[in-house]
Each structure stands twice: as structure tokens, then as C-alpha cells.
Amino acid sequence: MIVMSVIIIIFALISYKMGMLIFTIEMTVGLLCLSVSLGVYIYFQNHVRHTLIAARKLLSTQGEKELQELTIPVVITGKKGDIVWHNNAFQEVVTGGHGAVGESVLPYIYPRTLIQLMGSESSYVSYGNKEFTVYHSKADNTNIL
């Protein structure tokens, strides 16, 4: 999104010779896009940082390494359900090999929601052709599934 905003600004600069009206419109749109993109990026980075700090309070370096090497999928989400960390098993078994950091966890736990998972000890969900038992733990602004 930031790259697209920069491209719009470059086109606005190129259109300066064509007319002031076109230049003004393109530059305004480009700067608005750039400011919104930067705002979202900064907000997300700050959110991820706070969530990871909360998760690291729970895990020592050794504990994080052991979670990474577990053969069962583990995912840590922010308070709004965005994935901020997952182990290798989650990437291999659930997502089919692609990283899911930054994505919402909701497609993976559908038809459940985080609120429903918080209200029970365990829940059964299916994703693709696989079924999982989801256990939920909460610490500060972090959900561990």
C-alpha cells in the first residue's frame, strides 16, 4: 500500500506540467493514501510489539524454542484475533506451508470466535479436511491457542 501511494505521488509530479487541477487531485489522493498506509503500518507494528512483549513474559527463551518445536500447532494472537506468532507445526499442518503472521485467526477457528473459545475449556474446529481440538489460554492482551 505504501508503494502504491508513492507511485501515485510520482504520477502526480509527472502530471504537474499537464495542469494544476490534475496535479492537485493526484497529489492529494497520493498523500492521503500514504498517510493512511503509514498510520496502519505503525499501529500494526506497535500492536504486534505489545502482544509479543506480553507473550514473552509467559515464555522464556527455552520455552519459546520448545513451543516452536512442538508437533502440535500453537498460535498466539492479539486481542483482536490477529496472528502475531505461530510455531512450525501450525505453518506446516494448518496453513499448508505459508506463514500466517498478520492474518486473522478467525478463518482457522470458524465457526467459533475467540469469545466462544474463551468460554470453554476446549472446542473442536475443522479447517480444510483436518479437525483440531483448540485449547485457549489468555494472558494480558494475548490469546494462546
Side-chain angles (χ1 to χ4, degrees), residues 6 9-10 12 23 27 29 31-32 62 74 93 95 102 107 114 116-117 122 135-137 142:
V6 172
I9 292 170
I10 290 170
F23 168 75
M27 186 59 78
V29 169
L31 291 174
L32 282 173
Q62 183 63 29
V74 177
V93 174
T95 67
L114 282 175
Q116 290 172 327
L117 292 178
S122 65
Y135 298 93
H136 176 268
S137 180
T142 303

Side-chain angles (χ1 to χ4, degrees), residues 30-140:
L31 291 174
L32 282 173
C33 288
L34 182 63
S35 61
V36 168
S37 299
L38 287 174
V40 169
Y41 176 79
I42 290 168
Y43 171 79
F44 183 72
Q45 291 298 320
N46 191 33
H47 176 68
V48 167
R49 186 174 48 84
H50 286 299
T51 304
L52 286 176
I53 288 170
R56 288 186 197 239
K57 286 180 186 176
L58 298 172
L59 302 171
S60 64
T61 305
Q62 183 63 29
E64 184 176 352
K65 182 181 177 201
E66 290 171 359
L67 270 181
Q68 187 64 260
E69 295 172 355
L70 272 177
T71 57
I72 60 171
V74 177
V75 65
I76 297 176
T77 69
K79 63 182 175 181
K80 294 183 180 177
D82 49 315
I83 298 172
V84 295
W85 181 89
H86 57 72
N87 67 351
N88 293 333
F90 183 85
Q91 183 168 337
E92 293 168 12
V93 174
V94 179
T95 67
H98 78 276
V101 172
E103 295 179 11
S104 174
V105 75
L106 295 179
Y108 301 108
I109 61 173
Y110 181 81
R112 307 280 192 279
T113 65
L114 282 175
I115 294 171
Q116 290 172 327
L117 292 178
M118 285 188 251
S120 63
E121 284 186 26
S122 65
S123 296
Y124 297 99
V125 298
S126 60
Y127 183 76
N129 59 356
K130 298 177 179 133
E131 294 185 6
F132 301 95
T133 303
V134 178
Y135 298 93
H136 176 268
S137 180
K138 183 166 178 64
D140 293 335

